[in-house]
Amino acid sequence: MPFQTEIGTQISEAVKWLQQGQIVGIPTETVYGLAGNGLDTQAVSRIFEAKNRPFFDPLILHVADLTSVYNCVREFPEEAKKLALAFWPGPLTLVLPKSDQVPDLVTAGSSAVAMRIPQHPMALALLRELSYPLAAPSANPFTYVSPTTAQHVYDQLQGKIPYILDGGNATIGLESTIVSFADGPARVLRLGGISLEALWNVLPKLQVDIQFAPKGTESPGQLDHHYAPRCALIPLDSLTENLDAQANLLLFSQKSEDPTGSHIHYLSPQGDLNEAAAALFSLLRSFDDRQLDRVYFEWAPQEGLGRAINDRLSRAQKK
Ligand code: TXA
Ligand code: MG
């Protein structure tokens, strides 16, 4: 059924649609989500349908507090609790053995569920109004760049959903970091808004298991070209001496030796990793809006959020 999609700031309006089993765009501090009642398989299938997402790719459940996490999980290992205490509410997702109340559709048949308490005040206020968790993937069509504004969501899902709750620009701008406690030693499955360094401060032995080439479907967000804009992204390190003066460049920070001109885009002129992360997805979208064919990019420093920025750039470059 086509909708007249509205953008607004009324939590009660989002609640109204959710209670009817519909799905809505919601702000979080990482990226905007496409949310529905995570315990209602019909609402959950609407999410897959609107995103054009394959059913083998499981969804994250969002809740407002630890009590609600406990309702969705069968076990909450001590190490996972340490991370929860340190980083929730915030851009961290924990994969934990699921309880019976979580539908298999949410976890794509896995016995573990991904849980997150987001930090965005509007997301928390909405979740507190509800008696169920919100299943919410990023609110972009499958394989496209995640949205960091309500307008991004509107541009792509207009007509498919009734309402988008507008909470301003996503302040982190990269998806949550995912840590799995499902089987074997705890490990990081996706780099994101909480840096590895911050995680290692709490769990020094935490392993990292980021998949590039698809290997199974444990965290299919890690498929190559998952975050790809239409425009081709080419790393500057494989550069070609004769870059023409009209070439579009996406540079991490501003340096005195940079060429000048209107074709240079900076992630953060000052070289601030947080600012760069928050700018990345909007810039990638703007290249498509302007129908650029190709953009040459510079890697971020491989530290802190820079690792997650580079992860997204490297997936975006693969065509
Ligand atoms: O920041 C975020 O995490 C955003 C906001 C909206 O919360 N959400 C988000 O969702 O990025 P999505 O669906 O675009 O990415 C979630 C990733 C997917 O790669 C999925 O495979 C993985 O989480 N995932 C979900 N459930 C899982 C599970 N049970 N086991 C392993 N990986 C899981
Ligand atoms: Mg996504």
Side-chain angles (χ1 to χ4, degrees):
M1 172 176 67
F3 290 101
Q4 194 80 15
T5 307
E6 248 189 84
I7 301 184
T9 55
Q10 297 299 317
I11 286 169
S12 57
E13 188 67 13
V15 171
K16 182 191 89 182
W17 288 109
L18 289 166
Q19 302 292 40
Q20 293 174 26
Q22 296 295 344
I23 58 175
V24 296
I26 63 161
T28 86
E29 72 280 16
T30 57
V31 299
Y32 273 70
L34 181 60
N37 179 344
L39 304 184
D40 171 1
T41 49
Q42 213 176 350
V44 173
S45 34
R46 287 199 164 106
I47 296 175
F48 284 99
E49 192 188 334
K51 261 189 79 106
N52 211 0
R53 177 170 172 133
F55 285 110
F56 64 71
D57 196 356
L59 306 178
I60 298 174
L61 290 185
H62 299 69
V63 293
D65 49 47
L66 280 175
T67 311
S68 311
V69 176
Y70 276 103
N71 289 333
C72 297
V73 306
R74 197 161 37 77
E75 272 170 63
F76 204 154
E78 281 310 311
E79 291 193 329
K81 276 188 204 151
K82 283 190 186 164
L83 294 185
L85 278 176
F87 302 112
W88 274 350
L92 175 72
T93 293
L94 299 178
V95 177
L96 300 165
K98 85 174 188 73
S99 72
D100 290 341
Q101 79 152 338
V102 177
D104 289 333
L105 187 57
V106 168
T107 65
S110 162
S111 59
V113 62
M115 301 293 312
R116 179 159 103 85
I117 303 182
Q119 194 174 46
H120 194 294
M122 226 179 216
L124 283 173
L126 172 63
L127 288 166
R128 287 195 193 102
E129 294 288 315
L130 305 170
S131 59
Y132 42 81
L134 284 179
S138 51
N140 49 289
F142 187 59
T143 77
Y144 197 64
V145 181
S146 297
T148 54
T149 67
Q151 187 64 43
H152 291 165
V153 181
Y154 184 87
D155 290 345
Q156 294 191 295
L157 296 179
Q158 165 193 5
K160 294 190 170 175
I161 56 176
Y163 196 65
I164 302 165
L165 195 54
D166 188 351
N169 290 354
T171 51
I172 307 260
L174 297 174
E175 298 84 351
S176 60
T177 300
I178 303 180
V179 184
S180 175
F181 291 88
D183 46 51
R187 62 207 194 283
V188 178
L189 298 182
R190 177 173 76 181
L191 299 173
I194 299 287
S195 68
L196 288 181
E197 290 86 342
L199 293 173
W200 285 329
N201 268 334
V202 179
L203 298 182
K205 297 202 180 121
L206 185 62
Q207 300 183 13
V208 180
D209 184 16
I210 310 294
Q211 306 287 334
F212 254 91
K215 193 171 124 194
T217 51
E218 187 173 31
S219 198
Q222 300 308 81
L223 296 180
D224 290 348
H225 5 157
H226 199 75
Y227 302 89
R230 281 182 296 277
C231 131
L233 289 173
I234 301 155
L236 275 167
D237 53 16
S238 64
L239 198 60
T240 77
E241 309 75 65
N242 42 1
L243 198 58
D244 86 66
Q246 300 306 306
N248 278 279
L249 304 183
L250 174 61
L251 301 180
F252 173 67
S253 63
Q254 196 161 20
K255 292 166 254 8
S256 53
E257 68 273 19
D258 290 345
T260 49
S262 57
H263 304 285
I264 303 192
H265 315 271
Y266 291 106
L267 281 177
S268 164
Q270 299 354 301
D272 178 277
L273 286 168
N274 295 304
E275 185 177 56
L280 177 66
F281 288 159
S282 256
L283 275 168
L284 295 184
R285 269 172 194 264
S286 73
F287 300 153
D288 282 349
D289 292 344
R290 292 162 54 207
Q291 303 190 325
L292 302 183
D293 290 335
R294 61 177 58 192
V295 171
Y296 296 89
F297 72 91
E298 175 183 55
W299 298 104
Q302 185 66 359
E303 63 188 26
L305 287 189
R307 293 179 213 262
I309 293 172
N310 289 339
D311 172 273
R312 300 307 188 268
L313 283 169
S314 95
R315 289 171 205 283
Q317 79 175 317
K318 299 216 165 72
K319 287 276 156 183

